Amino acid sequence: MRLAHALHHLGRTPLLIDTQGRLFASSSPRSLFDWKHQLERRQLHTLPQAYCEAWYAPGMRADEPALSDMMGSYDDVVFHLEWECADLALPPDVAHTVVMEIRRTDESMRKAYAVLKTLARSGVAFRTGLLGDRLACDYVQAAACHFLGQAVVHAIFNVANENDAFAALAVRMAGEERA
């Protein structure tokens, strides 16, 4: 939510997709049609927010083929999700920025490293923003730089030390599109 707000503040038009059903499950009104039917009908039933449009689509994956045809009116599409590496689904031919919040737990740091490793081997172009606990982010970044090679080193930006990490992420994401 904060990332979508920061993107809006930069003049971008974001769509925030709730793939876990946690952000907008209780929002009213909700569509009679689930996200699959909305894509089939080519009509997204979004929930207007102050700084973005939100779409309730629990269970949807980022590589859903029909989704790319519907994203033309948005500058950025933000997926709110938690995933395991087996669920990593990034569509080809678009710029990807994966943002991970890392906590100071072994499980969180291992999961973040596993995601970076999966991204490194995926063959898609990506940037990765690390935010959360400063020491945990530094540890994951150091491990990735040591074990995953130069391409990953250049793909990581650590904003855990920033005063407003989401604003810093939004600026970097907007800059990536212009490059």
Side-chain angles (χ1 to χ4, degrees), residues 97-156:
T97 302
V98 177
V99 179
M100 294 186 284
E101 182 176 11
I102 305 172
R103 294 176 188 87
R104 197 185 305 190
T105 65
D106 288 343
E107 178 184 354
S108 181
M109 290 185 285
R110 274 195 304 269
K111 184 184 260 188
Y113 178 79
V115 169
L116 286 171
K117 185 175 179 180
T118 301
L119 286 167
R121 294 183 176 168
S122 70
V124 300
F126 69 93
R127 297 278 295 150
T128 302
L130 307 179
L131 60 93
D133 182 84
R134 183 183 53 82
L135 294 174
C137 290
D138 291 346
Y139 180 78
V140 169
Q141 184 174 9
C145 292
H146 181 74
F147 293 108
L148 298 179
Q150 283 302 110
V152 175
V153 170
H154 297 296
I156 295 173

